[in-house]
Every structure is written in structure tokens, then in C-alpha cells.
Amino acid sequence: MTTAAAALVRHRPRPGRAVQQTLTIAHRNLMQLRADPDQLMDATIMPIIFTLLFVYVFGGAISSSRHEYIQYLLPGIMAQLVAFTAMATGVGLNSDFHTGVMDRFRSLPIARSVVLAGRIATDCAKLLIGTGVMLAFGTLLGFRPSGNALQIAAAMGLATAFGFALCWVSALIGLSMSSPQAVQQIGFLWLIPVQFGSSIFAPVGTMPGWLQAFVKANPTSLVADTCRGLLSGGPVADSLWGALAWIAGITAVAAPLAVRRYRKRR
């Protein structure tokens, strides 16, 4: 066996060991969050601002009742929250390359995928915190979920799963761009149309016919509609399967590409 092959074998830990290494890196990232809570602002403060803005500035124009509109809007904000928070994955990975942290990780006998998985595990924890805060804040504004505890947990889980898939897309972008600023700019370029061209803020039926086809197929719409059905006790079957298919497809494509890009990144 050549030296290169031996090194490759050493960097392929057993599954149990890989999970332990992933949790170790996730713990390191969570300690950074504890030391700098400002990193949670994208998962907590920004969704609150969007909710207040749309309920009290645009809510009266979109719906005849702000109380009814908050019932419609808040599940959609959950889908928006995880999408915007996922951008932090790419920014964090890109920053780690510039600060030299990745050089240390690469000197360790760990799998390359473990570094990415640890980062994404941390960001998924942020997503759960963010959705929990958002639901709590929504109740202060009058949001009242009619679904049971299991349905509420399922809505939070689906939103987090969608965020997990988008984290891999963000990781791929972060590993491909030259600076954290570029990662943020590219992230907003593809997220804004996907977010605002969806059913998050307004029902699909109120949109022009030429736009409705895109909105109905948009994964953000499917996730938002499913969360809306789970929280309100409405039907979810049609949108759920579409949302799960998008989540699986995005992860299956973006995750291997991100790992491959990480291995080639210098």
C-alpha cells in the first residue's frame, strides 16, 4: 500500500467513530455560539422583524384581518427562517479557510466529510432554536396553532430538514467563493427569488397565472404549505410528498458536490 493510500485509509474512520468526530466538531462550533450569541441573530431576530413588517405594514393590504393573516404567515416564516439561516453554513466554512482553522482540521486523522457534517449539525441546532423562538413569538402576536403537539413537532422537523438540505447548497457555495462577502451576495441572489416567489407571504391564487406554476413547484412553497397544514390541522398529503422529494433531491446532489469541493479546496 502506498503512503497516499495509507493516509486515505486513516482518514476513513468507522461509522461510529465518524459520528463521534462529527459531534466533537459540532460541539466546538456550539461553543463558539455560546461565546458569541450574536451569531443566532439570523435565526431569531431577522424572522421576528419580517413577521412584524408583514403583519403590521402589509398585513392590512394582503388580508382583511391581521389575526387571520398571522395564522397564514407564521408557518411560511418558518420556511423562510431556515433558508436564510442556512446561508451561515457557507459563510462559516469560507471564514474557517481564511482564518486557518481548516488547515488544522486537515492535519487531523478525520474524514473530510466530518468537518462539513459537524458544521451543518451546528446550523441545524440553530434552525431548531430559531423555529422554537419564532413559534413562541408568534403566540405573543396572536398565532394559535390548532394542530396537536406531534403535528407542531413535525412542522418544526420538516422545516429543519429543509434547512439541512439548503445547508449543503450553502456549503457548496461557501467552498466555491473567494470570500465570505461573496458567499453572502451569491446566497441572497438565489434565495430572494425562491423566497418571495413562493406562498410564504400570499396565497398562490392571488398571483398572476404565469407565476403560479413556478410558485406551486417551488420547494419553499411546498414546505410552507405543509407546515401550515400541520399547524392548522389542514391537509398536508399533497405538499408533504413534494417537500420530501425536494429535500431528498437537493441533499443527494449538493452533499456529494460539497464534499468533493472541500477535498479540492486549497
Side-chain angles (χ1 to χ4, degrees), residues 55 59 63-75 141-143:
V55 170
S63 174
S64 58
S65 169
R66 286 189 173 87
H67 176 73
E68 292 180 2
Y69 185 57
I70 186 65
Q71 309 303 317
Y72 178 88
L73 175 68
L74 194 127
L141 297 182
F143 177 74

Side-chain angles (χ1 to χ4, degrees), residues 205-217:
T206 64
M207 303 177 188
W210 59 266
L211 182 59
Q212 290 186 20
F214 171 80
V215 174
K216 290 178 181 178

Side-chain angles (χ1 to χ4, degrees), residues 37-258:
D38 290 346
Q39 295 183 44
L40 287 171
M41 289 182 64
D42 57 346
T44 54
I45 304 301
M46 191 167 70
I48 288 174
I49 292 174
F50 266 100
T51 302
L52 291 172
L53 176 67
F54 274 87
V55 170
Y56 293 107
V57 177
F58 304 115
I62 297 174
S63 174
S64 58
S65 169
R66 286 189 173 87
H67 176 73
E68 292 180 2
Y69 185 57
I70 186 65
Q71 309 303 317
Y72 178 88
L73 175 68
L74 194 127
I77 290 291
M78 290 173 60
Q80 185 196 43
L81 180 160
V82 298
F84 277 123
T85 304
M87 284 201 306
T89 301
V91 174
L93 287 171
N94 194 284
S95 297
D96 283 345
F97 272 100
H98 283 82
T99 58
V101 173
M102 287 302 181
D103 292 333
R104 297 186 206 175
F105 284 147
R106 285 179 164 177
S107 67
L108 299 174
I110 59 177
R112 299 292 174 85
S113 58
V114 164
V115 178
L116 299 183
R119 166 64 65 176
I120 291 175
T122 304
D123 292 333
C124 284
K126 287 176 58 180
L127 298 178
L128 281 173
I129 293 172
T131 53
V133 170
M134 195 65 250
L135 284 173
F137 179 74
T139 60
L140 297 178
L141 297 182
F143 177 74
R144 296 294 182 267
S146 56
N148 57 39
L150 183 60
Q151 290 172 313
I152 294 173
M156 295 177 64
L158 179 67
T160 302
F162 183 49
F164 171 80
L166 295 183
C167 280
W168 284 109
V169 177
S170 180
L172 178 60
I173 294 173
L175 294 168
S176 303
M177 297 294 103
S178 59
S179 68
Q181 293 77 14
V183 177
Q184 290 180 322
Q185 292 171 358
I186 295 298
F188 276 111
L189 282 176
W190 73 271
L191 273 180
I192 291 298
V194 171
Q195 295 297 299
F196 286 90
S198 72
S199 63
I200 289 179
F201 304 108
V204 179
T206 64
M207 303 177 188
W210 59 266
L211 182 59
Q212 290 186 20
F214 171 80
V215 174
K216 290 178 181 178
N218 187 337
T220 307
S221 294
L222 294 169
V223 171
D225 291 342
T226 304
C227 289
R228 198 170 284 125
L230 289 168
L231 294 175
S232 66
V236 298
D238 292 340
S239 57
L240 174 62
W241 293 115
L244 292 176
W246 269 108
I247 291 169
I250 292 171
T251 304
V253 173
L257 290 176

